[in-house]
Amino acid sequence: MYRKIRSYLTLDTALPLLAVVIALSWAWSTVGVMQTNFQFQQQVDELRQQNALTDLENKTQEYRIAYYKTQEFAELAARANLNLAAPDEKVLVVPPSPYEQDSTSTLATIPPSAAPARSNFQQWLFFLFGKHPAQS
């Protein structure tokens, strides 16, 4: 058997076999390098996006700071927080409504205790016809 294998391993067969092994090794390492480069490129792209986002946030903050330094903002803040007005204006201060949920809400809501209790059928009649069934 050793002689049979030795008869196949001649210089004519060994050199092409060695060339194929070297080519496969080179191809395998090239694929590995390409994969590493792809991962690095993804990291670079992600960092560039984060950098662009940070730059955008910085510019937004610069614009906000510039706006806060304007006379217009000072006037609006004085009107909203200190109830101040221009010399030719009059200020009307209205107390907060007890029906508002919070001071920033402009929509008045009816407290649950003031709403009459209706059955599901009565609610549908009110929704469809616009009046309470007892009013008919």
Side-chain angles (χ1 to χ4, degrees), residues 30-125:
T30 301
V31 168
V33 168
M34 287 174 55
Q35 181 179 6
T36 305
N37 287 345
F38 179 74
Q39 291 171 348
F40 286 146
Q41 186 62 43
Q42 282 183 327
Q43 290 176 355
V44 168
D45 291 342
E46 183 179 332
L47 291 174
R48 283 184 181 158
Q49 287 177 350
Q50 289 177 357
N51 191 19
L53 180 63
T54 304
D55 287 344
L56 186 61
E57 289 172 351
N58 287 341
K59 286 188 187 275
T60 302
Q61 291 300 328
E62 289 173 6
Y63 289 137
R64 210 174 261 161
I65 289 170
Y67 171 68
Y68 289 151
K69 290 180 180 179
T70 62
Q71 184 64 28
E72 179 183 352
F73 173 75
E75 182 180 329
L76 289 174
R79 286 174 183 261
N81 298 329
L82 303 175
N83 295 327
L84 297 179
D88 58 343
E89 292 180 339
K90 294 186 180 182
V91 177
L92 178 62
V93 179
V94 179
S97 172
Y99 295 114
E100 291 184 5
Q101 292 177 350
D102 58 355
S103 60
T104 60
S105 176
T106 58
L107 297 175
T109 58
I110 299 173
S113 61
R118 299 182 192 150
S119 68
N120 189 27
F121 179 71
Q122 290 173 335
Q123 290 177 12
W124 273 107
L125 287 177

Side-chain angles (χ1 to χ4, degrees), residues 5-21:
I5 293 174
R6 189 172 177 182
S7 67
Y8 289 120
L9 290 178
T10 62
L11 192 58
D12 292 337
T13 59
L15 285 177
L17 184 63
L18 181 65
V20 166
V21 168

